[in-house]
Amino acid sequence: MNDSDYLFVLKALQEIPFSVGKQLLIDFLQGNDDNASIIRNKLSSLENFGCMTYSSDEIGEIIDNLTANNLIRVSSVNGKKFWKVLELTEKGIKEIQNPELYKKKLSFNFKETQTQITEEDKKIFEAFGDFLSAYNDEQKKAIISNKESILCLAGAGSGKTTALVKRIEFLVKYRSVDPKKILAITFTRKARKEMMRRLKEVEFVSVETFNSFCEKILEKYNDLVYTQKFRVVSYKDKIMMMNSALQKLSLTMPRAIDIYFSVGQKIGKMPEQLARILLNDCFFILDYLKFKNRKLELSAFQSNDSQHKESANLVFNVCKHIEEYMNMHGLRDYADQLIDSIKLFEKHPNLIPEFNHILIDEYQDVNSTQIKLVELLSPKNIFCVGDPRQSIFGWRGSDIKYILNFREKYPDCETITLTSNYRSTKHIVELINSSIKSMNLPDLKTTIQGEKNIHLFNFENEGAEFEFLIQRILALKIPRKEIFVLARTNKQLNEISQIMKLRGIKHLVRSDETRTEIESDDEEITVATIHSIKGLEAEAVFIIGCNSANFPCKGSEHPVIEMVKIDEYDKEEEERRLFYVAMSRAKNNLYMTYTGKHATNFITKNMLDQIQEQKTNIKYNPQINLSSDILTKLKDWRKEISQKQGLPAFMILHDKTLIELAQKLQSNKAELERIYGFGPNKLMRYGEEILKLIKI
């Protein structure tokens, strides 16, 4: 395929005078003049009829990619909620006029060769004796390299942080580098804590996150930057500011939720979840505008879609209040700290701390502001460790181009690849190698043997998929801590968590919403989104929902966020890397499950040759104690209400909600509100009726 072929799809959508479904669009592009709609509407006379010679699956992939990159949206036809059609977005219309997507395709210019280890290298390694004896040759070369600029490309489970820490020891012990002149930067508090633990024998080295580094600088030079003592904003502060903003706007949180979220967006989410998402979205927008050096202005929230005008105005006014409050009270968040530190250094270059060596972990996750800070520090020596295959935060502002273009910025750099995987069995390593061949990075290798415990299961519905998951987890003879259940979306995560609660299975939830760094105890399974699990590993990993609806994810960001965001990245490729991250968490057992006819296209033919795909006849059986009479009454009541209101039954109350109601038999409204899918609105509408139905 050519990179610009996608334009034919966009032009066809623009040309066809009515909204079309996916299959009709494919038939139009293929020139299928047997299609009744094409014949009836005389579409064969249009310019782009029959302009593509690809298979239906190939064209479908292009459409999915365009949907993932927000050039096409899937909409419901008025009055027919389940009739889905494809439409051009504003971004898609602009793309036709000024094609940009194919220009964004990443160029992976790494050589597909292993790091060369010479005989001279080996002699030098031997000279260091026990200091290097525990490491492989690639790690040894990274640890002791004399180059001023080094890029260490380290695949999943290859010990990249180990190499970085050992290099610091080497610099202090064998190069006599002043430890006070060394700065190591990582991305999370947990990673920082772990690095400091490993460096406990090396005193005075600065180990920081970008956030903690800037916080210390601003505390030291507070008076040069602020008119009052600054304070880092806490989550409690965020909640308080959100409530204050809503109060100023004469809105309650339930009313704000109704303005911001559509009915479909609220399905399956508790009120506290929705409130948390709204809060996180507001602060994300504020940070995004700061990083893009854009002011908070109403013009940034404009769209031709009048449907979202009210929610856009809500977010703008909330953000405006938060910004004013933070400035008035000296509160600074992560973005502020980075930007304010840069401004300080630009105005007072004499205050820039001197570091001879800067070492950066997870370099594939850096953004433009972090890069600017590093440039201002201008170290003579820079050592960056990362894996382009695990660049998965483009949606949050990180930019893979910095690791891809490292050699352009540092022409004399040495690139060292770490290819020995110390995590997974040979079969799993071979699978993840197959999943991302296009990046032309050297394959990972491992000496870990084991049975071929890689499974792909297909199910008729999610109920059966989740039932299989529960049964297989209960059958595994390994500590619960060594089991991960990974989902692409928070919705899937919440659903499986609710089922586990009903079954009494202890688990820890790690999601994009909670962003916890708490670790599970020995008896807890970890249930997580893939973004939140990066850097962790487990004996057995279950990836649920491995179909084309989730990989690449069809869910888009909230329309208000899409109004504000202007950056572009290849979302489909990032989603492919996300799937790689999920698979590479597994040590010994990898289970992938999906519903529908086809698994995700991210599972390629080469990968399928390595997997035993299996279909199951398992049926969904909750296996919980509940009153079947009460459940029948609840379902009959729901059916009656859905007919009266003209809504699908699941929009009244979800099956999982009815099951939990029948199981627990609540006696008052306070107990009802704690039930899955039972928020204040539904409590007000249906609470009294439900209590009467379940009263014994």
Side-chain angles (χ1 to χ4, degrees), residues 405-630:
N405 299 334
F406 189 89
R407 292 189 299 199
E408 292 179 17
K409 186 172 180 63
Y410 303 99
D412 295 328
C413 79
E414 181 172 25
T415 302
I416 300 170
T417 56
L418 305 186
T419 59
S420 294
N421 178 288
Y422 295 101
R423 174 184 298 161
S424 307
T425 62
K426 176 175 177 287
H427 300 291
I428 293 174
V429 168
E430 288 174 351
L431 185 74
I432 63 176
N433 284 337
S434 299
S435 74
I436 208 153
K437 282 287 188 184
S438 62
M439 297 190 76
N440 292 328
L441 287 160
D443 282 345
L444 294 172
K445 56 192 179 189
T446 185
T447 58
I448 302 173
Q449 301 300 314
E451 295 183 15
K452 194 174 184 177
N453 292 321
I454 304 173
H455 311 275
L456 178 64
F457 289 97
N458 178 225
F459 301 92
E460 288 186 3
N461 53 58
E462 275 194 350
E465 182 181 15
F466 294 163
E467 179 65 23
F468 165 83
L469 172 67
I470 297 297
Q471 291 182 15
R472 187 55 59 99
I473 284 173
L474 293 174
L476 286 172
K477 304 300 183 183
I478 59 175
R480 294 286 177 85
K481 186 179 182 178
E482 288 291 335
I483 301 174
F484 287 175
V485 178
L486 306 184
R488 174 63 186 87
T489 66
N490 289 309
K491 178 177 180 293
Q492 295 168 301
L493 198 70
N494 294 330
E495 287 178 352
I496 196 65
S497 177
Q498 288 296 327
I499 293 172
M500 285 186 173
K501 286 178 184 176
L502 290 174
R503 302 292 185 90
I505 299 173
K506 289 182 65 178
H507 62 283
L508 173 72
V509 176
R510 301 174 66 96
S511 74
D512 307 334
E513 295 170 4
T514 55
R515 300 172 186 173
T516 182
E517 292 190 0
I518 298 172
E519 293 189 23
S520 59
D521 64 34
D522 290 342
E523 298 302 314
E524 282 184 321
I525 294 163
T526 297
V527 182
T529 57
I530 304 167
H531 283 102
S532 68
I533 206 71
K534 189 169 171 290
L536 303 180
E537 59 188 41
E539 288 289 323
V541 172
F542 294 81
I543 311 173
I544 62 174
C546 296
N547 52 32
S548 57
N550 298 308
F551 296 97
C553 184
K554 299 300 186 295
S556 59
E557 295 177 298
H558 193 282
V560 175
I561 292 179
E562 291 179 353
M563 289 178 198
V564 175
K565 289 182 73 172
I566 58 173
D567 57 330
E568 304 282 347
Y569 66 99
D570 192 334
K571 184 176 177 180
E572 185 182 34
E573 286 306 308
E574 181 160 299
E575 291 279 323
R576 190 184 304 277
R577 297 194 294 271
L578 190 68
F579 196 66
Y580 167 92
V581 168
M583 292 188 294
S584 62
R585 301 307 95 194
K587 297 180 189 176
N588 293 305
N589 298 274
L590 176 61
Y591 298 88
M592 295 171 283
T593 65
Y594 72 99
T595 59
K597 293 181 180 179
H598 303 290
T600 169
N601 289 321
F602 293 167
I603 300 177
T604 64
K605 185 180 182 304
N606 285 339
M607 293 171 67
L608 282 172
D609 291 341
Q610 303 173 42
I611 302 170
Q612 183 70 39
E613 184 172 7
Q614 301 170 63
K615 292 187 180 291
T616 68
N617 295 317
I618 196 166
K619 303 296 182 184
Y620 180 48
N621 178 17
Q623 297 180 349
I624 56 176
N625 297 319
L626 52 78
S627 170
S628 57
D629 290 340
I630 295 293

Side-chain angles (χ1 to χ4, degrees), residues 64 293 592:
D64 290 344
N293 198 27
M592 295 171 283

